[in-house]
Amino acid sequence: MRIVLDAMGSDNYPVPDVAGAVLAAREWGDEIILVGREEIIRQELARHDVAGLKLEVVHAPEVIEMDDEPAWAARAKKNSSMHVGLGLVRDGQADGYVTAGNTGGVLAVATLHTLRRIRGVKRPALAAIMPLPAGHVIALDIGANADCRPEYLLQFALMGDVYARAVLGCTRPRVALLSNGEEPGKGNTLVKETYKLLTNSGLNFIGNVEPKELVTCHADVVVSDGFTGNIFIKTTEATARMLTDLIRDAIKASPLTAVGGLLAKPAFRRVARRVDPFEVGGGPLLGVNGVVIVAHGRSNERAIKNAIGQARKAVQGKIVEAIRDGLAKGQR
Amino acid sequence: MRIVLDAMGSDNYPVPDVAGAVLAAREWGDEIILVGREEIIRQELARHDVAGLKLEVVHAPEVIEMDDEPAWAARAKKNSSMHVGLGLVRDGQADGYVTAGNTGGVLAVATLHTLRRIRGVKRPALAAIMPLPAGHVIALDIGANADCRPEYLLQFALMGDVYARAVLGCTRPRVALLSNGEEPGKGNTLVKETYKLLTNSGLNFIGNVEPKELVTCHADVVVSDGFTGNIFIKTTEATARMLTDLIRDAIKASPLTAVGGLLAKPAFRRVARRVDPFEVGGGPLLGVNGVVIVAHGRSNERAIKNAIGQARKAVQGKIVEAIRDGLAKGQR
C-alpha cells in the first residue's frame, strides 16, 4: 500500500507531519510518500532514523497555507502539495491521501481539481470518527456543505452506512439524524424532510438523536448538514477543553487538591486517551474518487500517524468502490 | 414583587418546585404564587417551615405534562398551571413567571394563548444564560424557532443586547453570531445574510464566533437560529456529563486514584459549581409581554430558587419595557 502524506499540512509543518510519517512507516511497513518542498522535507527526515523504512519524497513547490482562502488557493496554487499529492492518488500512483492542512483547501482541491466526485454523488461530505464511550461513531457532514438539501443528507447517510460497514466493521449500522428532539416531528424543516427520506431508504434508520446520546450512543452513523455538524463537533471539543482547563486550575489552587490530582493522574490520562481525537487521527472525505483523510491542523506526530492508519483502513475497506456500489443500490 | 411559580413544572413536581419557592421566599422576601393542583401543593408546603414567608397558592386543575405534544396541550388544557399562572402575569396580578415544565408547552401558552408577542416582535426567542469562565453569556435562540430568517436573528440580537444591558449589567454588549468559522464569509446562508444585517444594526457586532470561544468568550450575546442554538447548548451539557462520568469511573477504578480523587474533591466541587446550569436556574423567553423564565426539567430546589432569582432580575431590569423601547429604536 502507498499512502501520500501532505508534509506541509499541520500548523507546525513539517515537524509533526514528517515524524508521524516515520512512525507510520515503521509500524505498518507501508510506503509513505511525503509531498511538499523537497529540501525542507529532506532536512526534517535527516533528524529521524529512517533505515529500512519505505519513505519517498515528491516535490511540490507551493503550499496552501491555513489562512489562504480555500477556493482561491485551489485555483491559484496548482503546484501545491495538495494538488500534487491528490494527483498521485488520481493517477493510481498511490492508494490514499492524508493532510492536516487547510480543510476548505483540501475539499476544493479534491472535489474540483483532482479526484472529483464519484458519479452520482451530489455533495461529498467530511466525516468525523468520534471516539465515544459506547464505541466509534461516524458523524457527517461536519463541514463540507454549510447549506444542504434533504437529498444530500440522504446520501450522507448512505455513505456513512457504507463507511461504518467497510471500515468500522458494523454489520448493520444504526443511522440517526442529529436533531433537537427525539420525536419524529422534531427538527428544522431540513431534518423533518430528511426524516421522511431516511424512513424509506432501506437503511437501518433509528430516528432522531439529541446530543445527550453522546453519552450512551445507540447510533453508528449520525447525519447532519455541514453547518450543524461543524458546530456540534467543535462544541464537544471546546467544552472538553474548557472543563479540563477548569479542573486543572482548580486542582492546582491548593496543595491538598494538588496532591490528589497527582495521585489521580493515571485516571485523567486514561480518560484523555479515550476521548482524544488524536487517537483517531482524522476523518474521511467521502464521495470523491479516492481515499482522503483530513486531520486536525493542531495534529501532533501521533495524530498524523493515526490519520495514516485511518487511510490504511479506508483503502483496505475499498471505501471508494463500496460507496459507488452503495449509491447504485440506494438509487435503485 | 410577586413571582408566579409553576408548581407542576419539573420532572419531579411538586417536590423541587415547592422547595425552591420556599428557599426563594426566604432569601428575598418576595411573594411567590404557587400555581397548580392546590391540594398537592398544600400537602407539599406542609413539609416546610413557611412561617412568615409570603407564599400563596392558586389552584389550576390541569397539568401540561413533559410528554404532552405542546401545541395540542396549549389548546386542550386551558386550565393548566401554565395558562393560569401566565394569566396572572398577563392580568397584572404578578410580575413574572417561572416554570421547569414542558418547554414547547410554555412557549405555546405564553406566545399564543396568554401574554402574546410584544408588538413588532416577529418571533419570541428562548435564551440561555451560560456560566462561562469569562463571565455570563446570553445565547439565543436555543429552541423556540427551529427555522429562522435573517430578520428574526437580527431581532434576537436586539433582544439579547437589551437583556445583557438590563439584567447582566453590560454597558455595551458585544454581540456575536454563532458560526463555523470566524471570517465574515463563513457560515450557512442564514448566517451570511444575518451578518450583513448585524453589520448595519448599530449594535456592537463583533462578528462570527466559533464554539471554541466558549473558553475565552469575548462576546456577551451569541445569536443563532433555534435549531443550531439548541444543538449547541445540549452539546455543551452532554459533553460535560460524558467527561465527568468518564473521570469519575476512571478515578474509582484503582485505590490509588480513588484516594487522589477524594483529596481533589474540593476542586471538582468548585468546577462543578462554576459551570453548573442550576446555579443560573433558567433562561428567559424574550419577546412576549411579560417576564417568563424557563428552567430545566431536571431542576432541583436550588435550580428553581435560582430561576426565581432570574425572574426577579428581569423584573427589576424592566426587561419587557426595555425590549419594547429597543425594538422601536432598532426599527427606526
Side-chain angles (χ1 to χ4, degrees):
Chain A
M1 195 186 302
R2 308 178 81 195
I3 305 288
V4 176
L5 178 76
D6 181 1
M8 322 310 271
S10 79
D11 292 349
N12 301 312
Y13 76 78
V15 180
D17 311 82
V18 169
V22 170
L23 288 176
R26 191 172 294 138
E27 175 137 345
W28 296 300
D30 295 319
E31 182 170 340
I32 313 284
I33 307 171
L34 291 153
V35 177
R37 292 191 177 130
E38 183 164 8
E39 197 182 308
I40 295 177
I41 298 173
R42 296 219 178 271
Q43 274 175 12
E44 193 58 31
L45 272 176
R47 301 175 51 203
H48 294 271
D49 174 14
V50 297
L53 303 183
K54 297 188 207 147
L55 290 161
E56 207 189 309
V57 179
V58 169
H59 181 62
E62 291 180 298
V63 177
I64 295 182
E65 305 284 357
M66 281 299 180
D67 51 4
D68 278 345
E69 200 282 306
W72 168 83
R75 277 194 311 273
K77 297 185 170 181
K78 285 278 181 352
N79 296 309
S80 80
S81 55
M82 289 185 183
H83 289 81
V84 174
L86 286 161
L88 292 172
V89 177
R90 176 197 56 207
D91 299 342
Q93 296 176 52
D95 302 295
Y97 178 83
V98 175
T99 182
N102 186 319
T103 302
V106 64
L107 296 183
V109 177
T111 307
L112 304 173
H113 298 275
T114 52
L115 301 178
R116 300 185 186 271
R117 284 179 284 167
I118 292 173
R119 186 184 296 269
V121 167
K122 295 178 201 298
R123 293 286 185 281
L126 189 60
I129 315 294
M130 303 181 74
L132 299 183
H136 282 186
V137 173
I138 175 166
L140 78 171
D141 179 22
I142 63 148
N145 310 277
D147 291 294
C148 285
R149 305 163 61 92
E151 312 88 81
Y152 305 170
L153 267 67
L154 172 63
Q155 283 199 338
F156 300 166
L158 286 166
M159 295 194 294
D161 174 79
V162 166
Y163 194 88
R165 286 173 199 270
V167 179
L168 302 182
C170 299
T171 48
R172 186 157 165 67
R174 294 155 299 181
V175 176
L177 257 177
L178 183 62
S179 188
N180 58 346
E182 289 175 18
E183 303 82 359
K186 291 286 181 138
N188 55 15
T189 302
L190 175 65
V191 166
K192 289 180 203 166
E193 293 293 318
T194 306
Y195 194 100
K196 292 180 211 159
L197 295 183
L198 285 172
T199 303
N200 300 313
S201 66
L203 293 168
N204 183 15
F205 177 52
I206 62 167
N208 293 332
V209 288
E210 287 189 68
K212 69 180 173 194
E213 297 287 322
L214 277 178
V215 188
T216 55
C217 200
H218 303 302
D220 302 299
V221 181
V222 175
V223 174
S224 67
D225 68 85
F227 180 80
T228 305
N230 193 272
I231 299 281
F232 172 60
I233 292 287
K234 284 182 176 162
T235 304
T236 63
E237 291 175 4
T239 308
R241 203 169 327 129
M242 178 179 76
L243 209 58
T244 45
D245 285 356
L246 284 172
I247 291 174
R248 186 181 301 116
D249 291 351
I251 282 178
K252 279 186 190 157
S254 97
L256 199 66
T257 56
V259 171
L262 218 58
L263 291 173
K265 204 161 195 176
F268 290 127
R269 273 219 202 95
R270 242 179 350 258
V271 172
R273 212 145 240 259
R274 195 153 156 197
V275 297
D276 184 3
F278 288 0
E279 279 296 301
V280 171
L285 173 63
L286 298 177
V288 292
N289 288 298
V291 166
V292 177
I293 301 291
V294 182
H296 210 297
R298 287 201 315 275
S299 287
N300 58 17
E301 58 186 63
R302 181 167 55 88
I304 298 287
K305 188 203 97 176
N306 291 330
I308 294 172
Q310 290 293 335
R312 295 183 78 249
K313 286 189 208 165
V315 172
Q316 284 163 348
K318 299 194 195 329
I319 188 68
V320 177
E321 294 75 7
I323 287 176
R324 269 190 208 120
D325 293 351
L327 283 177
K329 266 187 236 156
Q331 277 162 354
R332 241 187 270 145
Chain B
M1 196 185 303
R2 308 178 79 195
I3 305 289
V4 176
L5 178 77
D6 181 0
M8 322 310 271
S10 78
D11 292 349
N12 301 311
Y13 75 79
V15 180
D17 312 80
V18 169
V22 170
L23 288 176
R26 191 173 294 139
E27 175 137 345
W28 296 300
D30 296 320
E31 181 170 342
I32 313 285
I33 308 172
L34 291 152
V35 178
R37 293 195 176 126
E38 183 163 9
E39 199 182 308
I40 295 177
I41 298 173
R42 294 222 179 269
Q43 273 174 11
E44 192 57 32
L45 272 175
R47 301 174 51 201
H48 294 270
D49 173 15
V50 297
L53 302 184
K54 296 189 208 148
L55 290 162
E56 205 188 314
V57 179
V58 169
H59 182 62
E62 291 180 299
V63 177
I64 295 182
E65 304 285 357
M66 281 299 179
D67 51 3
D68 278 345
E69 199 282 306
W72 167 83
R75 278 194 310 271
K77 297 186 171 181
K78 286 277 179 356
N79 295 310
S80 79
S81 55
M82 288 185 182
H83 289 82
V84 174
L86 287 161
L88 292 172
V89 177
R90 176 197 57 208
D91 298 341
Q93 295 176 52
D95 302 295
Y97 177 82
V98 175
T99 182
N102 185 318
T103 303
V106 64
L107 296 182
V109 176
T111 307
L112 304 174
H113 298 275
T114 52
L115 301 177
R116 299 183 186 272
R117 283 178 286 167
I118 292 171
R119 187 183 296 269
V121 168
K122 295 179 201 297
R123 294 287 185 281
L126 189 61
I129 316 295
M130 302 181 74
L132 299 183
H136 282 186
V137 173
I138 176 167
L140 77 171
D141 178 21
I142 62 147
N145 311 276
D147 291 293
C148 285
R149 305 164 62 91
E151 312 89 80
Y152 304 171
L153 266 67
L154 172 62
Q155 283 200 339
F156 300 165
L158 287 165
M159 294 194 293
D161 174 80
V162 166
Y163 194 88
R165 286 172 198 271
V167 179
L168 302 181
C170 300
T171 49
R172 186 157 164 67
R174 295 155 300 181
V175 176
L177 257 177
L178 183 62
S179 189
N180 57 346
E182 289 173 20
E183 304 82 358
K186 291 285 182 141
N188 54 16
T189 303
L190 176 64
V191 166
K192 289 180 203 166
E193 293 294 318
T194 306
Y195 194 100
K196 293 180 210 158
L197 294 182
L198 286 172
T199 303
N200 301 314
S201 66
L203 294 169
N204 183 15
F205 177 51
I206 62 167
N208 293 332
V209 288
E210 286 189 68
K212 69 181 174 194
E213 297 287 321
L214 278 176
V215 188
T216 55
C217 200
H218 304 302
D220 302 299
V221 181
V222 175
V223 175
S224 67
D225 67 84
F227 180 80
T228 306
N230 192 272
I231 298 280
F232 172 60
I233 291 286
K234 284 182 176 163
T235 304
T236 62
E237 291 175 5
T239 308
R241 204 168 327 130
M242 179 179 75
L243 208 59
T244 45
D245 286 356
L246 284 173
I247 291 174
R248 187 181 300 115
D249 291 350
I251 283 177
K252 279 185 190 159
S254 96
L256 199 67
T257 56
V259 171
L262 217 59
L263 291 172
K265 203 160 194 175
F268 290 126
R269 272 218 202 94
R270 245 186 339 266
V271 173
R273 212 144 240 261
R274 195 154 155 196
V275 296
D276 184 4
F278 287 1
E279 278 297 300
V280 170
L285 172 64
L286 298 177
V288 292
N289 287 298
V291 166
V292 178
I293 301 291
V294 181
H296 209 298
R298 287 200 315 275
S299 288
N300 57 17
E301 59 186 64
R302 180 167 55 87
I304 298 287
K305 188 204 96 175
N306 290 330
I308 293 172
Q310 289 293 336
R312 296 182 77 249
K313 285 189 209 166
V315 171
Q316 284 163 349
K318 298 194 197 325
I319 188 68
V320 176
E321 295 75 7
I323 288 176
R324 269 191 207 119
D325 294 352
L327 283 178
K329 264 187 235 156
Q331 278 162 353
R332 242 189 268 147

